[in-house]
């Protein structure tokens, strides 16, 4: 394996507008998943660092929440321009730090720029409404107010997009934020956002970033949950971690927004265009080497089209270029770390041991796991039950699209789904019966736009990300009445 040119970055915490090391002085190495090179050293934060960040955000809240709309808008428009200007650097950093190839890096960058520009409009969103009252002489209002300090916990797999989504809506509405990026992406999921927004004019303390060493997220997360100064928490990550956070948040009566795991179905109806169905499935299953929460994990094909689809799909998967994420031709880059690679290998081998057949891939090529297509996977296999974060997809033949829906719904997860059909109206009818927070008809499941209500049902989480819905999650509604004349009381 040829060594890639190392990209270097050292990252510290960003607290109260200042770059600062961990209180203990500890750091940890941030390694490239492709080359293994140390890209830099990141601050290894703890509960004390987190308390410092929370305090800074709390102190910054009164000023930022009362900042004039034009000034808040200017920050986000400036940030969008700065991010665009740094595109080459950002794409290189995403490739080096998270193994993100050129295409998905561009997807993330485009989303983040749109996110910032759309967030600029939130400063002018109506802050309430007048309500009719049956009490004579009383004017009633429902007034929307920012909550205060918002904690944001973001993952590594789409580090730029998901950290941006976690902080931008709350900030644009007048809240302040403490961001905890993944230990696998301290720069592209954390420090980079602090650099951009600080340079764009965001005042000190409005955004604070705390990083931590592998295995040490608990102290940071527990501090964010326990602090009475933190009013909301949003988390994107696995269902097991989200469940633990929700249980702890419940003890503090703290509202959380959770976007968790997906076991996402892609249904191919018998009347689907075969070429379109294969193209959509290849993209939806293998973009960013399957390390996207929305990726298709299960493909159900109606029997009349099953043989032709499966043959073409497996052949396409077997030809996908695998290797260095810095190469624009690469489709399947490295898995994020050795643990993730071992999990993929173990689950595929377990499925094969239980009777599954491998139609493409199936053997690790460290640090990559090639695009893998399985069929005849028994229901008791782990890969059929749990989200498997990698370029592995299960294909299954069904007798009807309705059977596919029933099988797709037979899971505790319900994030995204898609249906490929020649009859879009039938697709909409099927969509209404799918237990998923997101359904795309005649498209694959990996879709997102900043203004859309992104989130799942069942064990895939609760609440919705998306700028159009951020006010519902990160603001309080206050009922206010006013009278010009005294009211008459009965006693």
């Amino acid at each position: 394996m040829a060594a890639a040119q190392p990209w270097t970055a050292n990252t510290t915490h960003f607290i109260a507008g200042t770059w600062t090391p961990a209180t203990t002085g500890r750091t940890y190495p941030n390694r490239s998943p492709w080359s293994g090179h140390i890209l830099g050293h990141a601050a290894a934060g703890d509960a004390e660092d987190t308390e410092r960040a929370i305090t800074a955000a709390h102190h910054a809240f009164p000023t930022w929440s009362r900042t004039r709309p034009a000034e808040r808008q200017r920050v986000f428009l400036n940030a969008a321009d700065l991010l665009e200007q740094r595109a080459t650097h950002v794409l290189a950093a995403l490739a080096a730090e998270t193994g993100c190839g050129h295409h998905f890096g561009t997807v993330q960058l485009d989303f983040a720029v749109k996110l910032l520009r759309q967030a600029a409009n939130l400063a002018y969103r109506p802050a309430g409404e007048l309500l009719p009252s049956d009490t004579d002489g009383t004017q009633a209002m429902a007034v929307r107010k920012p909550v205060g300090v918002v904690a944001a916990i973001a993952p590594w797999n789409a580090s730029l997009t998901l950290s941006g989504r976690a902080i931008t809506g709350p900030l644009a509405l007048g809240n302040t934020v403490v961001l905890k990026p993944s230990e696998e992406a301290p720069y592209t999921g954390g420090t980079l956002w602090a650099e951009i927004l600080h340079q764009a004019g965001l005042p000190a303390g409005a955004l604070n970033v705390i990083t931590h060493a592998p295995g040490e997220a608990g102290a940071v997360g527990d501090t964010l949950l326990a602090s009475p100064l933190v009013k909301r928490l949003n988390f994107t990550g696995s269902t097991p971690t989200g469940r633990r956070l929700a249980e702890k948040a419940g003890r503090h009566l703290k509202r959380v927004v959770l976007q968790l795991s997906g076991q996402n179905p892609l249904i191919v109806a018998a009347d689907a265009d075969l070429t379109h169905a294969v193209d959509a499935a290849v993209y939806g299953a293998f973009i960013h080497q399957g390390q996207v929460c929305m990726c298709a994990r299960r493909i159900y094909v109606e029997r009349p089209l099953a043989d032709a689809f499966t043959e073409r799909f497996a052949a396409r998967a077997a030809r996908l270029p695998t290797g260095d994420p810095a190469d624009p031709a690469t489709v399947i880059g490295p898995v994020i770390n050795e643990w993730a690679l071992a999990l993929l290998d173990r689950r595929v081998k377990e499925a094969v041991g239980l009777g599954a057949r491998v139609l493409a891939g199936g053997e690790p090529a460290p640090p990559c796991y090639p695009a893998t297509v399985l069929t005849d996977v028994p229901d008791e296999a782990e890969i059929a039950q749990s989200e498997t974060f990698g370029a592995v997809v299960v294909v299954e033949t069904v007798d009807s699209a309705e059977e596919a829906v029933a099988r797709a719904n037979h899971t505790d997860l319900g994030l995204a789904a898609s249906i490929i059909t020649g009859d879009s109206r039938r697709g909409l009818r099927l969509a209404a019966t799918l237990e998923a927070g997101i359904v795309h008809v005649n498209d694959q499941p990996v879709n997102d736009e900043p203004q859309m209500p992104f989130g799942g049902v069942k064990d895939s989480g609760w609440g919705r990300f998306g700028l159009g819905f951020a006010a519902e999650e990160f603001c309080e509604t206050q009922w206010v009445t006013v009278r010009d004349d005294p009211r008459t009381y009965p006693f």
Side-chain angles (χ1 to χ4, degrees):
M1 181 180 69
Q5 180 67 30
W7 168 84
T8 58
N10 292 309
T11 60
T12 64
H13 300 323
F14 188 70
I15 301 175
T18 301
W19 301 104
T20 179
T23 303
T24 61
R26 294 192 305 123
T27 64
Y28 72 94
N30 180 15
R31 294 184 181 273
S32 164
W34 168 250
S35 68
H37 289 137
I38 294 177
L39 305 172
H41 288 82
D46 58 15
E48 184 176 350
D49 296 310
T50 308
E51 289 284 7
R52 290 165 53 208
I54 293 169
T55 299
H58 176 67
H59 288 161
F61 173 68
T63 299
W64 176 242
S65 62
R66 292 195 294 266
T67 300
R68 291 188 299 114
E71 295 176 33
R72 293 219 305 265
Q73 183 182 64
R74 191 176 302 114
V75 169
F76 294 103
L77 292 177
N78 287 344
D81 292 342
L82 289 167
L83 190 58
E84 272 192 323
Q85 292 163 16
R86 298 181 65 176
T88 300
H89 166 76
V90 171
L91 292 174
L94 286 168
E97 189 173 61
T98 66
C100 178
H102 180 80
H103 173 76
F104 192 60
T106 301
V107 169
Q108 289 198 66
L109 184 63
D110 288 349
F111 179 96
V113 171
K114 290 177 182 176
L115 176 74
L116 290 165
R117 291 195 172 128
Q118 289 192 30
N121 292 325
L122 284 185
Y124 287 99
R125 179 170 174 166
E129 59 180 322
L130 294 177
L131 303 174
S133 173
D134 284 327
T135 303
D136 291 338
T138 294
Q139 185 179 52
M141 296 165 278
V143 180
R144 195 187 71 234
K145 301 169 62 176
V147 297
V149 180
V150 174
I153 302 177
W156 56 265
N157 60 309
S159 53
L160 182 73
T161 292
L162 297 181
S163 288
R165 184 182 73 176
I167 65 176
T168 302
L171 284 171
L173 290 164
N175 301 288
T176 55
V177 175
V178 177
L179 169 64
K180 187 205 82 63
S182 166
E183 64 271 27
E184 303 283 2
Y187 180 72
T188 55
T191 303
L192 174 61
W193 277 107
E195 288 176 353
I196 293 289
L197 286 165
H198 185 59
Q199 187 179 349
L202 190 70
L207 172 64
N208 305 272
V209 178
I210 297 293
T211 58
H212 61 84
E216 298 181 8
V220 177
D222 287 350
T223 304
L224 292 170
L225 283 168
S227 172
L229 300 180
V230 175
K231 305 303 182 183
R232 295 283 194 279
L233 183 140
N234 70 70
F235 169 79
T236 300
S238 72
T239 292
T241 302
R243 181 175 284 110
R244 290 194 294 271
L245 287 171
E247 289 170 351
K248 292 178 179 180
R251 292 200 291 270
H252 300 285
L253 293 179
K254 188 160 295 184
R255 281 180 55 183
V256 295
V257 180
L258 302 173
Q259 191 258 288
L260 308 176
S261 304
Q263 181 75 312
N264 311 305
L266 188 158
I267 297 171
V268 181
D271 61 357
D273 178 86
L274 179 59
T275 299
H276 173 223
V278 171
D279 288 346
V282 168
Y283 182 92
F286 301 124
I287 183 173
H288 193 35
Q289 48 272 14
Q291 296 178 131
V292 180
C293 60
M294 296 170 279
C295 275
R297 309 294 178 195
R298 302 167 292 161
I299 301 176
Y300 298 104
V301 191
E302 281 195 287
R303 195 169 299 279
L305 205 62
D307 288 346
F309 173 89
T310 303
E311 181 180 356
R312 283 203 205 180
F313 177 67
R316 284 277 302 281
R319 295 196 301 269
L320 292 177
T322 301
D324 187 348
D327 182 346
T330 295
V331 174
I332 306 295
V335 176
I336 189 62
N337 55 39
E338 293 178 356
W339 178 87
L341 184 67
L343 179 64
L344 282 168
D345 189 37
R346 179 177 67 76
R347 285 187 174 174
V348 170
K349 283 183 168 56
E350 183 219 28
V352 171
L354 291 171
R357 292 187 295 127
V358 179
L359 303 182
E363 290 294 333
C368 303
Y369 198 92
T372 297
V373 181
L374 302 177
T375 192
D376 298 332
V377 175
D379 289 342
E380 64 266 26
E382 261 187 77
I383 211 162
Q385 299 175 10
S386 304
E387 179 181 53
T388 299
F389 228 50
V392 180
V393 67
V394 175
V395 178
E396 184 174 335
T397 300
V398 292
D399 290 322
S400 68
E402 289 72 19
E403 179 191 349
V405 169
R407 290 193 62 80
N409 288 342
H410 191 63
T411 174
D412 294 331
L413 302 176
L415 180 57
S418 64
I419 303 164
I420 309 292
T421 174
D423 182 349
S424 59
R425 294 299 164 183
R426 182 192 184 206
L428 287 173
R429 291 193 295 273
L430 290 169
T433 64
L434 278 164
E435 296 171 359
I438 305 162
V439 184
H440 302 290
V441 177
N442 285 332
D443 202 348
Q444 46 72 47
V446 185
N447 285 283
D448 197 9
E449 295 182 55
Q451 74 277 17
M452 297 301 178
F454 191 98
V457 299
K458 301 194 288 189
D459 286 0
S460 288
W462 62 56
R464 290 296 180 266
F465 288 91
L467 295 177
F469 301 82
E472 298 173 15
E473 307 292 355
F474 303 113
C475 288
E476 297 284 10
T477 299
Q478 185 179 50
W479 175 34
V480 179
T481 67
V482 62
R483 296 180 59 86
D484 293 326
D485 300 313
R487 184 175 172 179
T488 301
Y489 301 100
F491 58 87

